[in-house]
Amino acid sequence: MKNLKLSLVCAVLLSGMSTYAIDGNEDFNLHVLKSNGSLITFALNKVTKANLAIYDQDGTLIYSENASGKDGILRTFSLEEFPEGTYFLEVEDNVKKVRHEITINNGTSVLSTKAVSSTYKADFSAKDSSVAVR
């Protein structure tokens, strides 16, 4: 009976770890927490300072803020004033810039969980280095 209980506990722990690993992604660990009508809520794990910006499809900046948090950043945006269409949430820290798509249709806002683009910045130590191209 003890072996059965121990097996069940191990199975639950392992399934919990694999669920977390599937939920995480390589881009700032941005997690979409809620999408309720025109509200979107997301969290940036392990990011203490970042610039958040929302652009329209033509690349026009609509909103920008410097966000910070002790253990991460949690934000909720109300997009009720935005017309239907496609927008982009851009998250930038000192290492990289990541863009996620926001789609607004029939009063419902959807933030993509996967990044549509990710750009790493050059390390400061790369300033005086040479790059060979073949």
Side-chain angles (χ1 to χ4, degrees):
M1 189 67 166
K2 267 189 174 177
N3 286 341
L4 179 61
K5 287 182 183 179
L6 183 59
S7 297
L8 284 173
V9 168
C10 287
V12 168
L13 287 175
L14 291 175
S15 68
M17 287 191 315
S18 66
T19 302
Y20 179 76
I22 291 168
D23 186 40
N25 61 32
E26 67 280 355
D27 300 316
F28 290 124
N29 288 328
L30 185 141
H31 299 281
V32 178
L33 301 177
K34 285 187 216 175
S35 196
N36 183 9
S38 62
L39 294 176
I40 55 171
T41 301
F42 62 92
L44 299 166
N45 296 336
K46 299 180 183 178
V47 176
T48 56
K49 291 182 181 179
N51 183 27
L52 306 177
I54 297 177
Y55 293 89
D56 68 8
Q57 196 164 7
D58 298 326
T60 304
L61 178 65
I62 297 173
Y63 175 81
S64 179
E65 79 168 285
N66 290 319
S68 62
K70 183 179 175 185
D71 296 321
I73 297 171
L74 177 67
R75 284 292 181 271
T76 298
F77 289 124
S78 174
L79 306 175
E80 64 188 347
E81 298 295 323
F82 286 39
E84 288 188 0
T86 302
Y87 300 87
F88 296 95
L89 170 66
E90 192 170 272
V91 180
E92 181 177 3
D93 71 356
N94 60 349
V95 177
K96 66 182 171 178
K97 183 188 303 187
V98 179
R99 290 179 71 125
H100 288 261
E101 187 176 80
I102 301 170
T103 305
I104 302 175
N105 191 11
N106 293 328
T108 302
S109 303
V110 177
L111 174 62
S112 66
T113 56
K114 293 286 184 183
V116 293
S117 70
S118 180
T119 306
Y120 286 87
K121 297 179 181 180
D123 188 19
F124 294 116
S125 62
K127 279 184 182 176
D128 298 321
S129 63
S130 300
V131 177
V133 179
R134 289 185 170 185

